[in-house]
């Protein structure tokens, strides 16, 4: 019986099983099939195999109509540089934290009322009466801090590994905007329970923004949405927290991921340099140069104008 994980690999990419693996007999096929017929699976066994194939068939059905497997295999089966380690999982961890925030946020929004008179009682209702309400609220509240910490750690990783350098500057800039928006999410979300702590903390936060040069006073006026923090401030923070920033974050994380897949990841700085130069050569032909999926023409990492820019010795392992 083939393994389920093997079955999930699209048929054209599956490895030919060796004798003794995935149902292929170890011994050569009998010459005389009449007197020595091969063992056949019983009805139950055949049913089991068909049941295992069913999800694969369903995926294949969709794929024939969407032609998505080329894109997906290019994205999921890409090569990563030698020396890739646990620090490279921080970006995916931040992505996971973002997804958790989005999912738990949707459920909280089903019960939360963004009104100065009802916000606090709706949060109490979520915590005390709604099924798993306190759990989901807790996940969202703690998840916010987790996401901010993970995004900072991930930024530290890309900085200390020099991953912000050419040709990934744009991804760094996108990352900086993502970082600001992540902190905006944490700041605007803090006011939503509208209790004493969130009320006074938001006044402090708005006043700190007001001390910024040139735009500071305008920014704090915009955030306060009135002469004093009140109902209009809550509506504004809610709209920023629920619509404006999540939309921008989804678009920017999409662009960030596109660039990660397109350019591949950098090798750790201590990886030995091979024959190829570490620093990028002057660009003569950018478009044709940036090989997709992180593998150059000979599978040796991203290249610009045929020159490898990763600074690793070309050795890679498949993700
Ligand atoms: C929600 C926030 C973010 C998510 C979900 C995210 C996700 C990712 C993922 C999955 C990767 C590839 C794997 C890895 O290197 O960890 C990556 C790479 C990268 N990220 Fe982020 N990221 C976020 C924020 C940031 C921030 C704040 C910065 C910098 C200011 C940044 C800069 C970069 C750069 C430069 C790379 C390329 C790394 C390389 O080539 O080795 N990212 N990001």
């Amino acid at each position: 019986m083939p393994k389920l994980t093997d079955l999930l690999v699209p048929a054209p990419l599956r490895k030919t099983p060796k004798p003794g693996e995935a149902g292929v007999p170890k011994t050569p096929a009998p010459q005389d099939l009449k007197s020595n017929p091969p063992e056949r699976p019983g009805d139950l066994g055949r049913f089991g195999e068909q049941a295992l194939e069913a999800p694969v068939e369903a995926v294949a059905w969709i794929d024939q109509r969407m032609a998505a497997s080329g894109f997906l295999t290019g994205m999921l089966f890409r090569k990563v540089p030698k020396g890739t380690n646990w620090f490279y999982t921080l970006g995916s961890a931040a992505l996971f934290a973002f997804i958790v925030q989005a999912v738990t946020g949707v459920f909280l929004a089903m019960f939360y009322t963004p009104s100065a008179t009802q916000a606090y009682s709706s949060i109490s209702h979520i915590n005390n009466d709604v099924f798993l309400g306190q759990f989901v609220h807790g996940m969202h509240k703690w998840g916010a801090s987790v996401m901010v910490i993970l995004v900072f750690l991930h930024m530290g990783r890309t900085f200390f590994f020099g991953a912000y350098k050419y040709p990934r500057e744009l991804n760094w800039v996108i990352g900086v905007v993502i970082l600001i928006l992540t902190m905006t999410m944490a700041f605007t979300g803090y006011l939503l329970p509208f209790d004493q702590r969130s009320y006074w903390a938001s006044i402090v936060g708005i006043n700190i923004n007001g001390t910024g040069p040139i735009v500071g006073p305008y920014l704090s006026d915009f955030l306060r949405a009135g002469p004093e923090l009140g109902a209009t401030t809550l509506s504004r923070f809610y709209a920023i927290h629920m619509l404006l920033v999540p939309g921008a974050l989804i678009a920017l994380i999409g662009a960030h991921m596109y660039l990660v897949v397109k350019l591949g990841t950098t090798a750790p700085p201590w990886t030995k340099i091979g024959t190829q130069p570490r620093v990028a050569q002057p660009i003569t032909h950018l478009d044709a140069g940036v090989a997709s999926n992180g593998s150059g023409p000979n599978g040796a990492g991203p290249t610009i104008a045929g020159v490898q820019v990763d600074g690793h010795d070309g050795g890679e392992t498949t993700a």
Side-chain angles (χ1 to χ4, degrees):
M1 176 81 62
K3 278 193 285 179
L4 185 62
T5 42
D6 291 340
L7 281 174
L8 289 175
V9 176
L13 290 173
R14 279 187 213 157
K15 279 190 224 152
T16 321
K18 289 187 197 132
E21 282 177 12
V24 177
K26 232 175 188 163
T27 46
Q31 298 301 311
D32 183 4
L33 291 173
K34 216 170 181 185
S35 59
N36 197 4
E39 210 179 296
R40 287 177 178 212
D43 277 353
L44 212 62
R46 264 205 300 278
F47 177 75
E49 270 179 33
Q50 276 171 359
L52 268 182
E53 285 281 352
V56 184
E57 296 284 333
V59 173
W61 189 90
I62 295 169
D63 186 41
Q64 275 172 357
R65 281 142 193 95
M66 279 184 69
S69 61
F71 166 75
L72 285 175
T73 46
M75 204 176 82
L76 297 173
F77 290 79
R78 55 182 213 279
K79 291 180 173 183
V80 294
K82 246 187 193 169
T84 298
N85 54 43
W86 281 100
F87 291 112
Y88 286 75
T89 59
L90 288 166
S92 310
L95 182 62
F96 181 73
F98 175 71
I99 293 168
V100 169
Q101 290 306 93
V103 173
T104 51
V106 166
F107 286 105
L108 290 176
M110 290 178 187
F111 298 95
Y112 175 74
T113 317
S115 125
T117 50
Q118 291 168 46
Y120 181 74
S121 52
S122 69
I123 295 278
S124 302
H125 172 62
I126 290 172
N127 286 338
N128 300 322
D129 313 319
V130 176
F131 174 66
L132 291 180
Q134 196 174 23
F135 177 67
V136 174
H137 182 207
M139 275 183 82
H140 197 76
K141 200 172 166 171
W142 287 97
S145 304
V146 169
M147 183 171 165
V148 172
I149 292 167
L150 284 173
V151 170
F152 266 105
L153 289 177
H154 168 62
M155 185 179 72
R157 193 296 275 171
T158 51
F159 178 75
F160 286 114
F161 282 39
Y164 55 85
K165 292 180 195 168
Y166 180 83
R168 297 181 179 80
E169 304 97 317
L170 180 61
N171 221 13
W172 173 265
V173 173
I174 292 175
V176 171
V177 181
I178 292 179
L179 176 72
I180 294 168
L181 292 182
T182 305
M183 291 195 291
T184 310
M185 286 298 276
F187 178 56
T188 51
Y190 204 84
L191 179 67
L192 300 187
F194 222 55
D195 53 16
Q196 286 291 330
R197 186 203 296 250
S198 66
Y199 183 88
W200 294 106
S202 298
I203 290 185
V204 172
I206 290 172
N207 288 346
I208 291 175
N209 274 287
T211 61
I214 306 165
V215 289
Y218 297 103
L219 186 60
S220 66
D221 280 351
F222 168 76
L223 289 170
R224 206 182 309 103
E228 289 200 348
L229 197 152
T232 46
T233 323
L234 183 63
S235 302
R236 185 153 298 183
F237 273 43
Y238 183 67
I240 295 173
H241 189 80
M242 286 279 297
L243 298 167
L244 187 67
V245 178
L249 266 180
I250 289 169
L252 286 168
I253 292 175
H256 197 68
M257 293 293 86
Y258 170 79
L259 284 176
V260 168
V261 171
K262 187 88 180 157
L263 299 172
T265 46
T266 30
W270 54 83
T271 314
K272 277 207 186 101
I273 307 168
T275 47
Q276 301 280 10
R278 181 176 185 84
V279 181
Q281 298 298 297
I283 318 168
T284 49
H285 197 80
L286 181 65
D287 175 53
V290 183
S292 61
N293 306 331
S295 46
N298 48 14
T303 58
I304 303 289
V307 177
Q308 188 189 327
V309 291
D310 257 359
H312 60 79
D313 58 2
E316 284 172 331
T317 46
T318 315

